[in-house]
Amino acid sequence: MHPPSRQDYVSISFAGQGSGVYNNSKQWRRQSCWRKWKQLSRLQRSLILFILVLLFICGIASYPSITEHLSAINWLEAVREAFRHAWKGYKDFAWGHDELRPLSKSYSEWFGLGLTLIDALDTMWIMGLKEEFEEAKAWVATELTFNKNVDVNLFESTIRILGGLLSTYHLTGDTLFLDKAKDIGSRLMPAFNTPSKIPYSDVNIGKGTAHPPRWTSDSTVAEVTSIQLEFRELTRLTQEPQYQDAVAEVMKQVHKLDGKLDGLVPMFINTNNGQFTHQGIYTLGARADSYYEYLLKQWIQGGKKENQLLEDYLQAIEGVKKNLLQKSSPNGLTFVGELSHGQFSPKMDHLVCFLPGTLALGAHNGLPADHMDLAKQLMETCYQMYVQMETGLSPEIVHFNMHQGSTRDIDVKLADRHNLLRPEMVESLFYLYRLTKEHKYQEWGYEILQNFNKYTKVSSGGYTSINNVRDPDYPSPRDKMESFFLGETLKYLYLLFSDDSNLISLDQYVFNTEAHPLPIWPSTA
Ligand code: DMJ
């Protein structure tokens, strides 16, 4: 006997469809669709066509933003990757020391305080690099001591160490960082014991003594006026007034001093008599730059109440427009030059590229809209300082051509061809993108990251400063990775590529001049 046959398949037949056999051929399906389409009313057909057209238009319209979104995600990963590579070099060859020397696989010491590690703490936190952050935190907890017989520069250790510890405290809530911040903050205070109360440049944090550089009793104006955000915040957190009092006294004196030109300040100030020295030279570059930045940022930090700071800032920007702003030839790039005893020099430091970002931040906080126009023009100029170089990386200093008949806008002197992995360009790109959402700023940032990877990345770990941005075949590595590459450059690139405006919101935080975010003080009114 055979068992009854099992029916292993289902035969589907459609009533009234010819042979009654299931026909799944493409041709049959096409005919069937067409038949169904013809059965629809005119209204139904128009409705379907309308929906299809609408979907098509939406698809086309959203295509660029989808691709932009996807590239931004890849770029975020690319900058995290760059950070990991920089960190690997530091960890392998310079752990706990100030700076990595990536080519010689060694390190250099400036203050002997693990500068790169401290500068990089909040960057790791922001990038979500938890493992790396925890290792670094363990070093801070067990190895970092400020009880050392070393001379440190007041400004550099304030913006990098005090600023880095304060911002890491705010981001993590971990009091380890606040305790360390209090320790270094109090050890820096002897710098203010001068006849004029304008601080000395150097402090011995172990001995509690301070002094000016060996060759002068002057301090740099940008240095004494760019420590305020950090010391003011230290007072707010500790409720100990001496920190804020000391830095407010400096601002008070500088506000009243003779020797400014339309709000622009000279580069040096004497610690004995409190007067400007070497007068007559005005620049937005080295030795004056962050004076202007901190006028605006202190005003923002304090809840926009300290009118004197705002007035000094607004006056200085007018001073820049009147005395330092010019256009290059042949392409009319707007640039900020320098003035020396009445003589204009078309020289612009890469450092000046902080200015577009600061101007944009001011406009965001209600300052005149033409500040934003100027920010955009200067941003374009800074971009040209990169793209016109053979490596796509900016030199330290450029000179603009102003005479009719010039064939190119930008010249670079032999001695100025180096690039130290500085952040000012990508810092401003971050502000400009955050505040305008124009994608070209992200694209420019990504080009720069790629060029850092191409010309400054060292295969065994880390990135290096280079001597010659004009020679793509031999950019001549300098064998040094500055701490601000991790503290600032990579952080700003990451924030530039992030589309999350709440990731360090510009309405809640103000960045110190080393890219460490400090909270805007809550209003008590
Ligand atoms: C950093 O230490 C700070 O950004 C400072 O304001 C200027 N110099 C370097 C980066 O170029």
Side-chain angles (χ1 to χ4, degrees):
M1 289 267 294
H2 295 285
S5 68
R6 274 180 52 211
Q7 201 171 344
D8 277 335
Y9 59 93
V10 181
S11 156
I12 305 173
S13 60
F14 291 81
Q17 282 179 354
S19 65
V21 175
Y22 173 46
N23 181 347
N24 196 24
S25 75
K26 266 190 191 157
Q27 194 193 356
W28 185 88
R29 267 183 285 151
R30 231 177 276 137
Q31 282 169 358
S32 146
C33 284
W34 179 241
R35 228 172 276 130
K36 282 186 186 157
W37 174 252
K38 302 259 301 185
Q39 285 164 5
L40 296 174
S41 73
R42 214 197 191 123
L43 182 71
Q44 285 172 315
R45 274 190 258 167
S46 314
L47 206 66
I48 291 174
L49 280 175
F50 176 73
I51 291 171
L52 285 175
V53 170
L54 201 68
L55 285 174
F56 179 73
I57 292 171
C58 289
I60 297 275
S62 62
Y63 178 74
S65 71
I66 291 171
T67 48
E68 270 156 14
H69 182 65
L70 290 179
S71 23
I73 291 173
N74 290 336
W75 297 353
L76 277 173
E77 202 33 59
V79 72
R80 272 159 59 100
E81 196 42 51
F83 185 95
R84 281 195 207 96
H85 185 80
W87 189 249
K88 177 187 158 22
Y90 179 73
K91 195 175 155 186
D92 288 353
F93 310 120
W95 185 251
H97 297 285
D98 282 343
E99 291 136 346
L100 169 66
R101 297 184 62 213
L103 295 177
S104 47
K105 301 186 179 168
S106 62
Y107 57 84
S108 53
E109 222 62 295
W110 189 7
F111 308 144
L113 297 173
L115 205 56
T116 295
L117 188 149
I118 300 176
D119 225 357
L121 284 167
D122 56 3
T123 304
M124 291 184 269
W125 185 263
I126 290 167
M127 289 185 182
L129 297 171
K130 296 223 171 73
E131 220 173 275
E132 290 84 349
F133 178 81
E134 289 303 328
E135 294 174 306
K137 179 183 147 181
W139 183 87
V140 172
T142 57
E143 305 287 329
L144 177 61
T145 170
F146 297 125
N147 189 13
K148 273 186 163 177
N149 179 10
V150 285
D151 276 355
V152 303
N153 174 284
L154 169 69
F155 162 74
E156 298 291 358
S157 50
T158 298
I159 64 170
R160 302 188 198 210
I161 300 176
L162 179 56
L165 292 167
L166 287 173
S167 78
T168 308
Y169 165 65
H170 279 294
L171 295 175
T172 62
D174 190 328
T175 52
L176 163 69
F177 301 107
L178 178 57
D179 293 342
K180 293 289 179 188
K182 285 185 206 163
D183 191 11
I184 185 69
S186 61
R187 286 171 187 275
L188 291 173
M189 289 303 283
F192 296 90
N193 295 333
T194 69
S196 66
K197 299 189 181 161
I198 299 296
Y200 290 132
S201 58
D202 296 281
V203 193
N204 186 303
I205 53 173
K207 289 190 193 159
T209 54
H211 59 90
R214 235 169 283 138
W215 58 92
T216 176
S217 53
D218 291 349
S219 285
T220 296
V221 171
E223 292 195 359
V224 301
T225 55
S226 310
I227 49 180
Q228 279 65 15
L229 291 175
E230 300 80 358
F231 279 99
R232 281 156 51 112
E233 178 59 10
L234 193 57
T235 281
R236 192 179 73 94
L237 290 169
T238 59
Q239 294 297 305
E240 293 173 24
Q242 69 270 25
Y243 306 115
Q244 176 152 6
D245 289 351
V247 294
E249 172 66 22
V250 179
M251 293 313 295
K252 196 173 111 198
Q253 289 193 35
V254 171
H255 170 74
K256 289 195 294 212
L257 277 184
D258 287 336
K260 290 187 203 160
L261 173 71
D262 301 318
L264 304 175
V265 289
M267 294 150 77
F268 295 97
I269 186 165
N270 189 270
T271 51
N272 290 324
N273 62 24
Q275 300 297 312
F276 289 131
T277 65
H278 302 84
Q279 292 195 33
I281 302 178
Y282 302 98
T283 172
L284 264 274
R287 298 190 183 277
D289 48 0
S290 43
Y291 161 72
Y292 305 101
E293 178 188 349
Y294 268 38
L295 287 174
L296 178 75
K297 288 182 171 177
Q298 285 179 80
W299 176 69
I300 294 172
Q301 177 190 43
K304 305 192 214 176
K305 293 179 196 132
E306 297 151 287
N307 290 335
Q308 199 166 288
L309 293 165
L310 175 63
E311 281 159 22
D312 285 356
Y313 176 74
L314 288 171
Q315 197 199 358
I317 298 305
E318 291 310 306
V320 170
K321 289 191 216 163
K322 183 172 161 198
N323 300 288
L324 304 181
L325 216 57
Q326 286 290 348
K327 293 221 185 258
S328 68
S329 179
N331 291 309
L333 299 173
T334 304
F335 70 94
V336 181
E338 297 184 355
L339 205 60
S340 177
H341 306 288
Q343 185 87 25
F344 182 79
S345 159
K347 162 182 179 272
M348 181 164 149
D349 294 353
H350 180 275
L351 289 169
V352 181
C353 290
F354 82 93
L355 188 58
T358 298
L359 287 167
L361 180 66
H364 174 67
N365 279 281
L367 302 191
D370 72 302
H371 286 204
M372 185 54 113
D373 301 336
L374 181 57
K376 289 180 180 177
Q377 290 171 34
L378 292 172
M379 194 77 268
E380 171 67 39
T381 303
C382 289
Y383 178 55
Q384 292 302 322
M385 287 164 61
Y386 280 72
V387 279
Q388 292 194 16
M389 299 303 120
E390 288 75 356
T391 55
L393 292 174
S394 170
E396 178 74 355
I397 299 169
V398 298
H399 284 77
F400 288 91
N401 284 317
M402 289 175 68
H403 46 272
Q404 296 285 317
S406 313
T407 48
R408 55 173 188 271
D409 294 79
I410 299 178
D411 279 334
V412 186
K413 296 193 188 305
L414 270 180
D416 301 336
R417 294 178 162 199
H418 48 292
N419 178 297
L420 305 184
L421 311 170
R422 283 196 193 276
E424 291 75 19
M425 169 74 185
V426 294
E427 167 185 358
S428 283
L429 286 176
F430 156 66
Y431 285 102
L432 270 279
Y433 178 68
R434 229 347 130 84
L435 300 173
T436 68
K437 292 290 171 214
E438 283 183 49
H439 283 284
K440 69 177 180 191
Y441 299 124
Q442 284 187 322
E443 280 153 20
W444 295 355
Y446 188 59
E447 281 171 29
I448 292 168
L449 175 61
Q450 283 176 306
N451 290 324
F452 278 137
N453 278 331
K454 201 160 166 195
Y455 297 108
T456 72
K457 188 172 178 177
V458 178
S459 58
S460 47
Y463 289 75
T464 178
S465 304
I466 54 175
N467 277 317
N468 191 356
V469 296
R470 308 227 64 167
D471 187 350
D473 295 326
Y474 189 62
S476 178
R478 278 194 164 192
D479 196 17
K480 183 157 172 180
M481 183 173 77
E482 301 280 349
S483 80
F484 52 68
F485 184 61
L486 287 81
E488 295 194 71
T489 310
L490 294 177
K491 181 190 289 149
Y492 280 130
L493 278 168
Y494 188 80
L495 293 171
L496 166 65
F497 298 150
S498 168
D499 272 313
D500 180 2
S501 297
N502 291 320
L503 182 59
I504 318 293
S505 159
L506 290 177
D507 297 318
Q508 286 166 11
Y509 289 95
V510 63
F511 288 87
N512 85 342
T513 193
E514 188 76 6
H516 298 302
L518 300 173
I520 294 172
W521 297 343
S523 152
T524 45

